[in-house]
Every structure is written in structure tokens, then in C-alpha cells.
């Protein structure tokens, strides 16, 4: 199984709502990532989890709260978002590498619209 | 600082034409990795290739080929006999190593349109 799944595919939320994005992989990868991608731009790294511990937070606002409950699951909790947070949110996974940089496998993304 | 430049913003070709996507990178590291990803309209980034800085051999996979030249800091991607299904945004990316962060530096992407 070389698939990363993400739910939901589309999400529309108001600025006062609380919602969560979910990502799952069963490739045995121990590194998982959240990216944000605006239209016609490359993905921007938000968070990295390595062995279920947060290893990178790219100065992301606290209205985005990641969680890694186990080695297969990654969540992104959303609260009090702004319209400019509307984007495609991509999850990825890979084997962590100390001496190599391993390829990341991406999910199909969640297209988020904040009204 | 690390940087990836994809100077071609958009390319349009007719089916069966060959097309080359350019990628130029900057890094001070002696060990690094380069990647190409494809992003079709569906949104998912599809991994195409990884190349480390010590392996300058060119690679061919079906209609795809990659030309890595450290002397010019380039890692170009050629699609031979393009097909409509090749229409997508293609990203070149760089990762430092050794690294436990997995952080990828992406280029701005090249949108390839293949017309029938």
C-alpha cells in the first residue's frame, strides 16, 4: 500500500468554526508532514513529525494545531481561521533519514475554503 | 541559502513533441538530494525521481529522462513524445542531507500543457 489518504476532500468553514483535517498512511513511514499550497504556488511546509514527535514548526499561527496520535495518523486542527487560510492542504509521509533525504509521498489534499 | 529556480512558468506543446523542463539549484552543501514531482489537476503530488549529489548518471524511465549536471547546477527533465496525460504542474525540489527534517525547497513549478 503506497497511498496517503486525506479526509475530507473539500471543507468549507466559517471563521468561528472548529474543524479537523485527517491524514493516514500505512507504508510504515515514521515522518509525516503538513503543507499548505496556494493557487499557482509551490507547497509550503507547515509542520514535520518524526517518530510521532513534532520536529519542525515553520512559524505557523496557533490557529493551526497539529497532532500525531500514532505512527499512521496525522491531524490538523483548525480554529478561528481567516479567509487567507483558504488553500489546498497536503499531507505527506516518508521514512525519516539521518544520512539520506527520502522521497515524500503525498496525499490528494484537502481543499479548504474559509468564509 | 538554498534555492531552486524553474525559469519556465508555462510551456505549451502539441502531443508527440519532446519537451524539456529546466531546473537550476543553489546550495552550499556538498551532499544534497534533488527531486521531481508531478501535480496533475487532481492536486496530488506524484513523486517521479530522486537523485543524490554524488550520482551524476542520467536516468531514463520510459518516456521520461533526467539530466543532472553538477557543473551547471542543473537537473533538467525531458518528456519524449509527450501525451495529453502529461499535462500537469511539475516541481523540482532540493533537500539538504544529512537531514532528519525532510525539508524540501521547491521551485515555483512549470505548468505543462500538452494539446492533442
Amino acid at each position: 500500500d503506497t497511498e496517503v489518504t486525506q479526509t475530507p476532500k473539500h471543507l468549507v468553514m466559517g471563521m468561528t468554526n472548529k474543524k479537523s483535517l485527517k491524514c493516514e498512511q500505512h507504508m510504515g513511514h515514521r515522518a509525516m508532514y503538513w503543507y499548505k499550497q496556494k493557487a499557482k504556488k509551490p507547497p509550503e511546509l507547515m509542520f514535520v513529525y518524526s517518530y510521532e514527535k513534532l520536529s519542525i514548526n515553520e512559524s505557523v499561527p496557533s490557529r493551526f494545531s497539529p497532532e500525531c496520535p500514532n505512527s499512521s495518523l496525522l491531524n490538523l486542527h483548525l480554529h478561528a481561521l481567516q479567509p487567507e487560510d483558504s488553500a489546498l492542504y497536503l499531507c505527506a509521509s516518508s521514512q525519516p533519514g539521518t544520512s539520506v533525504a527520502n522521497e515524500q509521498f503525498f496525499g490528494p489534499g484537502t481543499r479548504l475554503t474559509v468564509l | 541559502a538554498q534555492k531552486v529556480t524553474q525559469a519556465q512558468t508555462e510551456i505549451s506543446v502539441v502531443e508527440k513533441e519532446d519537451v524539456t523542463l529546466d531546473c537550476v539549484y543553489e546550495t552550499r552543501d556538498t551532499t544534497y538530494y534533488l527531486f521531481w514531482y508531478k501535480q496533475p489537476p487532481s492536486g496530488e503530488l506524484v513523486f517521479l525521481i530522486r537523485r543524490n549529489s554524488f550520482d551524476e548518471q542520467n536516468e531514463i524511465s520510459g518516456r521520461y529522462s533526467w539530466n543532472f549536471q553538477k557543473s551547471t547546477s542543473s537537473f533538467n527533465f525531458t518528456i519524449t513524445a509527450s501525451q495529453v496525460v502529461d499535462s500537469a504542474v511539475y516541481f523540482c525540489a532540493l533537500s539538504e542531507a544529512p537531514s532528519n527534517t525532510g525539508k524540501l525547497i521547491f521551485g515555483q513549478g512549470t505548468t505543462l500543457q500538452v494539446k492533442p
Side-chain angles (χ1 to χ4, degrees):
Chain A
D1 186 359
T2 58
E3 190 179 44
V4 177
T5 59
Q6 289 187 245
T7 54
K9 290 187 177 178
H10 300 275
L11 178 63
V12 179
M13 60 186 291
M15 290 189 285
T16 59
N17 292 157
K18 286 185 180 181
K19 297 286 185 184
S20 296
L21 310 184
K22 181 180 175 181
C23 173
E24 192 166 4
Q25 59 89 13
H26 294 288
M27 293 179 277
H29 291 165
R30 301 302 297 276
M32 296 186 77
Y33 312 79
W34 280 115
Y35 289 85
K36 173 183 177 180
Q37 187 179 24
K38 301 285 272 186
K40 298 190 181 297
K41 295 290 186 183
E44 298 174 24
L45 183 65
M46 299 174 72
F47 302 104
V48 180
Y49 273 83
S50 183
Y51 297 98
E52 294 87 71
K53 292 186 178 178
L54 185 65
S55 60
I56 291 182
N57 176 340
E58 290 285 289
S59 303
V60 179
S62 59
R63 57 186 184 269
F64 295 92
S65 176
E67 178 196 19
C68 190
N70 60 55
S71 60
S72 300
L73 283 174
L74 184 66
N75 298 320
L76 186 63
H77 302 298
L78 315 172
H79 174 54
L81 294 192
Q82 304 296 312
E84 59 264 29
D85 296 321
S86 298
L88 180 67
Y89 287 83
L90 293 162
C91 173
S93 71
S94 75
Q95 289 292 8
T98 52
S99 59
V100 297
N102 292 308
E103 58 270 27
Q104 297 177 23
F105 293 89
F106 285 79
T110 293
R111 198 162 295 278
L112 174 68
T113 302
V114 182
L115 301 176
Chain B
Q2 296 184 317
K3 185 179 178 182
V4 175
T5 301
Q6 295 179 253
Q8 305 150 307
T9 305
E10 294 185 11
I11 300 176
S12 181
V13 299
V14 177
E15 210 170 16
K16 297 185 183 177
E17 285 185 19
D18 299 347
V19 58
T20 295
L21 310 182
D22 297 333
C23 174
V24 174
Y25 62 91
E26 296 175 28
T27 180
R28 294 179 185 163
D29 296 328
T30 55
T31 303
Y32 52 88
Y33 288 77
L34 295 163
F35 302 81
W36 275 96
Y37 283 88
K38 172 183 180 181
Q39 188 173 36
S42 59
E44 177 178 348
L45 272 82
V46 178
F47 166 74
L48 296 178
I49 189 170
R50 179 188 71 172
R51 176 66 65 198
N52 75 54
S53 53
F54 297 109
D55 183 1
E56 286 194 73
Q57 280 192 351
N58 292 329
E59 180 153 341
I60 298 175
S61 176
R63 295 184 297 107
Y64 295 170
S65 62
W66 290 268
N67 184 346
F68 176 31
Q69 292 197 339
K70 285 180 75 171
S71 60
T72 56
S73 297
S74 65
F75 186 43
N76 297 336
F77 173 31
T78 297
I79 302 175
T80 303
S82 59
Q83 300 176 1
V84 172
V85 293
D86 296 326
S87 297
V89 182
Y90 291 86
F91 290 100
C92 180
L94 168 70
S95 180
E96 60 189 8
S99 168
N100 208 14
T101 66
K103 186 169 182 177
L104 291 173
I105 310 298
F106 284 94
Q108 290 300 303
T110 297
T111 300
L112 173 65
Q113 184 181 33
V114 181
K115 298 178 181 177

